[in-house]
C-alpha cells in the first residue's frame, strides 16, 4: 500500500489532488483543521476510486499539534510510511501593505511556510530511512512574479519555492524528489470573488484553470515518470501574460 498525505485536502485544489492520487492507487491521508464535514466529503470521493483513505486533523501552523498527530499515525501504522507529501495548506489575506494588519501577515506566513516546516520535518525522516519519497509543495505564480495586494502571500510562496530548492539538494541522495507547483488563476472558492472576465484577458489560453488540471500535474510529479525532476518550480498558468 502506498500512502500520500495532502495538507489542506478537504476542498478546492487539495480535494482534487486527493481524488487524483486515489485514482493512482494511493491511500490518501486528508488533512483538515476545522471543517470535518468537508474532509469526510473528500474521503468519500477518494473511496470511489476503490482505495481506502482517512482523515487526519491538525493545524499545520502548530508544530506541537502537527508533530503529535503525525507521530501517532506512524505509531498506529508501524509498517507504513508516507511516500508522497503534498504541502497544499494555505490561506490568503489580501491587502495593500500599508493597510495590512500584522495578524494577516503572520497568518499567511505561518500556515504556508511554517506549515511546510512543521509537516515536512516529521514526514521526511522516514522517507530518508526508506530511501524514497516525493515532496510536492503548492506554491503560486504570486511567489514568482509578485502580485499587488499580496505581499504576505507572495512572500510566503516565494519562501516556499526557495525552501523547495534547498531541500531538494539535502535529500536528493536518498532518492527523494522535492518540487513546487505554482498555479495561476484556478477556479476554486478562493478565486470566486475575482473578476474572471477581466482577468482572463491576461491569460494566453483565455480561461482560468481547473483544480483537476493542477491535480494531474501533482500526480505526475508523484509518479516514477518524474523521478529525474527535482528542485523545480513548475508554473501552471495558462500562459499568464506579464
Amino acid at each position: 500500500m502506498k500512502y500520500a498525505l495532502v495538507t489542506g485536502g478537504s476542498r478546492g485544489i487539495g480535494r482534487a489532488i486527493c481524488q487524483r492520487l486515489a485514482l493512482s492507487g494511493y491511500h490518501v491521508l486528508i488533512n483538515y483543521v476545522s471543517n470535518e464535514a468537508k474532509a469526510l466529503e473528500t474521503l468519500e470521493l477518494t473511496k470511489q476510486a476503490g482505495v481506502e483513505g482517512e482523515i487526519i486533523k491538525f493545524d499545520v501552523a502548530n508544530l506541537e499539534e502537527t508533530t503529535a498527530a503525525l507521530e501517532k499515525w506512524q505509531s498506529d501504522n508501524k509498517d507504513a510510511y508516507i511516500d508522497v507529501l503534498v504541502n497544499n495548506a494555505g490561506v490568503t489575506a489580501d491587502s495593500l501593505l500599508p493597510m495590512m494588519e500584522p495578524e494577516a501577515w503572520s497568518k499567511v506566513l505561518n500556515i504556508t511556510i511554517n506549515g511546510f516546516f512543521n509537516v515536512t520535518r516529521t514526514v521526511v525522516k522516514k522517507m530518508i530511512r526508506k530511501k524514497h519519497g516525493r515532496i510536492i509543495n503548492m506554491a503560486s505564480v504570486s511567489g514568482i512574479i509578485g502580485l499587488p495586494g499580496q505581499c504576505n502571500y507572495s512572500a510566503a510562496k516565494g519562501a516556499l519555492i526557495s525552501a523547495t530548492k534547498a531541500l531538494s539538494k539535502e535529500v536528493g541522495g536518498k532518492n527523494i524528489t522535492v518540487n513546487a507547483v505554482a498555479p495561476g488563476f484556478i477556479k476554486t472558492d478562493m478565486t470566486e470573488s475575482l473578476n474572471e472576465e477581466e482577468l482572463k484577458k491576461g491569460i494566453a489560453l483565455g480561461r482560468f484553470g481547473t483544480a483537476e488540471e493542477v491535480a494531474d500535474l501533482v500526480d505526475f510529479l508523484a509518479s516514477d515518470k518524474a523521478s529525474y525532476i527535482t528542485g523545480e518550480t513548475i508554473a501552471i498558468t495558462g500562459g499568464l501574460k506579464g
Side-chain angles (χ1 to χ4, degrees):
M1 177 67 71
K2 300 181 296 182
Y3 292 84
L5 168 62
V6 181
T7 67
S10 64
R11 57 194 179 92
I13 291 174
R15 171 176 286 184
I17 292 170
C18 290
Q19 290 179 267
R20 189 64 188 82
L21 290 176
L23 285 171
S24 292
Y26 287 94
H27 175 112
V28 182
L29 283 68
I30 304 159
N31 161 252
Y32 73 102
V33 66
S34 59
N35 196 331
E36 184 178 18
K38 287 292 184 183
L40 289 170
E41 285 178 14
T42 303
L43 178 61
E44 185 58 36
L45 290 169
T46 63
K47 286 182 177 180
Q48 292 174 14
V51 180
E52 285 297 317
E54 60 189 291
I55 61 174
I56 180 168
K57 180 180 180 180
F58 59 86
D59 178 1
V60 299
N62 185 310
L63 175 60
E64 292 75 17
E65 184 178 319
T66 298
T67 303
L70 291 173
E71 288 183 348
K72 182 180 186 305
W73 181 87
Q74 192 63 76
S75 177
D76 292 342
N77 299 271
K78 294 187 185 301
D79 296 329
Y81 86 104
I82 295 166
D83 186 57
V84 174
L85 167 61
V86 183
N87 285 304
N88 171 73
V91 66
T92 56
D94 295 353
S95 173
L96 294 176
L97 188 64
M99 281 77 80
M100 185 177 290
E101 295 295 332
E103 293 79 10
W105 175 268
S106 298
K107 181 178 181 180
V108 171
L109 267 75
N110 282 340
I111 292 175
T112 298
I113 197 65
N114 289 350
F116 157 80
F117 172 79
N118 295 341
V119 177
T120 308
R121 176 176 175 269
T122 296
V123 173
V124 76
K125 291 176 183 177
K126 196 153 189 181
M127 288 182 179
I128 290 170
R129 290 199 293 274
K130 293 291 186 177
K131 296 184 179 180
H132 190 273
R134 298 282 186 266
I135 299 172
I136 300 146
N137 299 319
M138 295 305 300
S140 167
V141 68
S142 183
I144 299 174
I145 64 174
L147 293 175
Q150 287 197 325
C151 277
N152 52 0
Y153 194 69
S154 294
K157 296 301 187 179
L160 188 60
I161 289 168
S162 294
T164 296
K165 295 178 183 295
L167 182 60
S168 71
K169 293 175 172 63
E170 292 181 5
V171 299
K174 297 297 184 181
N175 196 31
I176 300 166
T177 65
V178 189
N179 292 289
V181 172
F185 294 111
I186 308 298
K187 287 183 73 71
T188 68
D189 55 0
M190 287 183 70
T191 58
E192 282 180 350
S193 63
L194 300 179
N195 187 336
E196 183 175 348
E197 288 303 311
E198 186 62 30
L199 288 169
K200 70 183 184 182
K201 294 176 184 176
I203 300 171
L205 294 182
R207 65 176 177 87
F208 278 18
T210 68
E212 289 73 24
E213 288 170 318
V214 178
D216 284 341
L217 175 55
V218 171
D219 183 61
F220 168 72
L221 290 172
S223 74
D224 289 341
K225 294 178 181 179
S227 60
Y228 200 58
I229 301 173
T230 195
E232 298 298 331
T233 299
I234 303 175
I236 177 166
T237 69
L240 189 65
K241 302 172 185 176

